Amino acid sequence: MNLSSLQYARRFDQVSGSAIREIFKVIAQPGMISFAGGNPSLAALPDEKAAELSSLVLKENGKAILQYGATEGYPALIESLKAWIPAHLGFEAPAVLPVTGSTQAMDLLCKAMINPGDRIIVEDPSFLGNLQCMKLYEAELVPVDSQEDGLDVCHLERLIQAQKSKMIYTIPTFQNPTGKTLSLAKRKIIAELACQYGVLVAEDDPYRDLRYRGEALPPIKSFDSEGWVVYFGSFSKIISPGLRVGFMAGDAGILRKCTIGKQSSDVHTANLTQAIVDQFLRQDLLPDHIARISRDYAAQCDAMLEELARFPAGVSYTRPEGGLFIWVELPERLNAKDLLQQAIARKVAFVPGTHFYCGGEHENTLRLNFSASTLDQIHEGMTILRKLIEESL
Ligand SMILES: Cc1ncc(COP(=O)(O)O)c(C=O)c1O
């Protein structure tokens, strides 16, 4: 029998990754200026320091690192995180679980909490990778309106009141894809609503340390008195995505369930990369490293904003204070997918915004990344985009 009768699991029915994957094939072409991914710049990746720390930890604790480790995490990293989280993020975490990138935090929280049909309230637009994860657990995604200062908390409360929701998924700082940041007042309100209505909050905060302007805001988790907020941290954007180290911080009971779920996912996050991240924290290497990469990213962000200021009237865009992305809205009659085809022919790539919305549409939006391109590439690529838009108006 050939494979034509093969039936995939129903959980894949709502999921298609194809459109974005096609774009990522294109950006691999030589000479392409890519505003499409969310990668750190090559200059930001601390390869020499990682080599030095890798050698150090293997010399000091090589046998334990090369042996199977605990699902609960590499002990030294847990110790460092327990000191770093209150000092750096401003909240006490009853429990911490190192994970294989914060991508795994979303997967484990859904594994622990979500039954098919459970409702999860999500920002619209939101991070595609985690939208896909929630769909794979057969959650019903409920979009909440977005405003300049993050999600609309009045709409959020109406949604929670209208029908029981299990979880709220939010990216409060320099959101992917919009670059928007949730205001302080709204952070407090979300923590209060979670407690009042008994809804979990998955607070996904991988960009918070990449701040180029303005004051840092406390996480939603710091206003959480009862444990309804589970915080996801990641070292992908501030050290390296290839190390695959992130963490969950929150209620011990919830994290225990996630730990049990992790046993069958990957047994544990690689000891070696946890040990490298531990050294970054233990030796207090992050402040200088983040200051250095932020200086470059700030200049890249400014260069892109400077180019956007020359775009024709009717094109609007966010002015993020940090992170890796700028969100652009074209006049309604323009279609970002068509623009992408023309741009690719001129060796420029980006991601059309429609892919980040639960229900698609919003064809006139696009996401631009500035971290992975040089200043020259940003000026050149943005000039090409501007001319293409001018021609289509
Ligand atoms: C909002 C958001 N969450 C999570 C991730 C994944 O991060 P990690 O590499 O830690 O899995 C990304 C990556 O782009 C992201 O944008």
Side-chain angles (χ1 to χ4, degrees):
M1 195 187 280
N2 67 26
L3 272 178
S4 60
S5 60
L6 185 69
Q7 289 203 321
Y8 289 101
R10 243 195 353 257
R11 65 177 68 88
F12 276 87
D13 288 354
Q14 300 186 67
V15 174
S16 77
S18 56
I20 294 270
R21 288 273 77 82
E22 288 310 306
I23 299 169
F24 283 96
K25 276 187 222 156
V26 166
I27 62 176
Q29 289 173 11
M32 187 66 68
I33 296 176
S34 175
F35 303 138
N39 293 1
S41 71
L42 295 183
L45 298 175
D47 48 348
E48 285 174 16
K49 183 52 84 180
E52 179 194 315
L53 297 177
S54 170
S55 161
L56 171 82
V57 296
L58 283 169
K59 277 186 195 133
E60 280 183 352
N61 202 21
K63 296 288 186 202
I65 285 173
L66 296 178
Q67 190 52 276
Y68 277 118
T71 308
E72 287 77 2
Y74 187 69
L77 178 60
I78 297 173
E79 190 182 271
S80 293
L81 286 171
K82 284 196 167 156
W84 185 75
I85 291 170
H88 185 69
L89 299 175
F91 62 85
E92 293 290 337
V96 176
L97 176 64
V99 287
T100 304
S102 62
T103 296
Q104 189 179 50
M106 190 76 230
D107 188 64
L108 295 178
L109 193 60
C110 287
K111 202 180 210 183
M113 303 306 314
I114 300 301
N115 292 315
D118 279 349
R119 291 160 57 100
I120 304 180
I121 299 176
V122 296
E123 285 154 347
D124 202 31
S126 186
F127 171 49
L128 195 72
N130 281 350
L131 292 179
Q132 253 187 32
C133 171
M134 293 180 259
K135 285 180 186 169
L136 280 170
Y137 284 96
E138 298 177 73
E140 184 193 331
L141 302 189
V142 182
V144 60
D145 292 342
S146 166
Q147 297 169 320
E148 269 317 295
D149 61 347
L151 64 84
D152 176 345
V153 285
C154 296
H155 186 214
L156 175 69
E157 184 164 17
R158 286 199 303 279
L159 288 172
I160 298 173
Q161 285 168 339
Q163 249 181 308
K164 179 79 190 152
S165 295
K166 194 72 171 270
M167 200 191 291
I168 301 161
Y169 170 63
T170 178
I171 308 159
T173 320
F174 317 132
Q175 200 241 18
N176 182 1
T178 61
K180 290 177 183 174
T181 291
L182 192 71
S183 66
L184 178 62
K186 287 183 171 181
R187 288 169 190 244
K188 289 185 189 158
I189 292 170
I190 291 173
E192 282 162 16
L193 291 176
C195 189
Q196 183 183 346
Y197 292 99
V199 187
L200 277 175
V201 176
E203 180 178 17
D204 186 12
D205 211 12
Y207 299 104
R208 68 167 289 115
D209 286 309
L210 297 178
R211 176 174 278 283
Y212 320 132
R213 280 176 280 277
E215 289 294 308
L217 294 175
I220 301 169
K221 179 70 188 157
S222 62
F223 303 107
D224 171 33
S225 51
E226 302 291 332
W228 287 99
V229 182
V230 181
Y231 185 88
F232 302 169
S234 172
F235 296 100
S236 287
K237 312 293 176 175
I238 52 172
I239 303 179
S240 144
L243 293 182
R244 308 305 305 133
V245 180
F247 65 90
M248 307 175 77
D251 173 75
I254 299 172
L255 263 57
R256 179 71 200 135
K257 283 280 184 219
C258 293
T259 308
I260 295 169
K262 183 170 165 64
Q263 289 166 357
S264 59
S265 288
D266 60 357
V267 184
H268 60 82
T269 298
N271 292 325
L272 180 57
T273 57
Q274 290 190 74
I276 292 171
V277 171
D278 168 51
Q279 288 297 325
F280 266 92
L281 298 180
R282 212 163 271 275
Q283 298 186 24
D284 201 22
L285 302 174
L286 280 182
D288 284 353
H289 178 67
I290 291 173
R292 180 178 73 74
I293 64 176
S294 296
R295 267 195 301 277
D296 289 348
Y297 289 163
Q300 288 159 265
C301 180
D302 286 348
M304 193 168 263
L305 288 171
E306 186 188 312
E307 288 296 339
L308 280 163
R310 302 196 178 103
F311 275 44
V315 175
S316 61
Y317 49 93
T318 53
R319 291 167 182 77
E321 294 192 326
L324 303 182
F325 305 108
I326 297 173
W327 183 250
V328 180
E329 291 192 25
L330 305 173
E332 288 272 348
R333 64 182 187 282
L334 294 193
N335 183 312
K337 282 188 186 162
D338 295 342
L339 179 69
L340 176 64
Q341 290 317 314
Q342 296 160 2
I344 284 172
R346 306 280 307 275
K347 296 269 184 214
V348 180
F350 59 83
V351 182
T354 182
H355 301 301
F356 300 98
Y357 285 95
C358 293
E361 301 188 342
H362 304 268
E363 304 278 355
N364 60 324
T365 60
L366 55 124
R367 187 191 75 176
L368 296 174
N369 162 270
F370 50 79
S371 60
S373 305
T374 63
L375 293 178
D376 285 347
Q377 286 172 327
I378 290 171
H379 289 298
E380 188 186 336
M382 293 300 287
T383 303
I384 292 171
L385 285 187
R386 174 169 56 78
K387 288 188 175 155
L388 288 173
I389 292 169
E390 283 166 355
E391 283 160 20
S392 1
L393 282 171

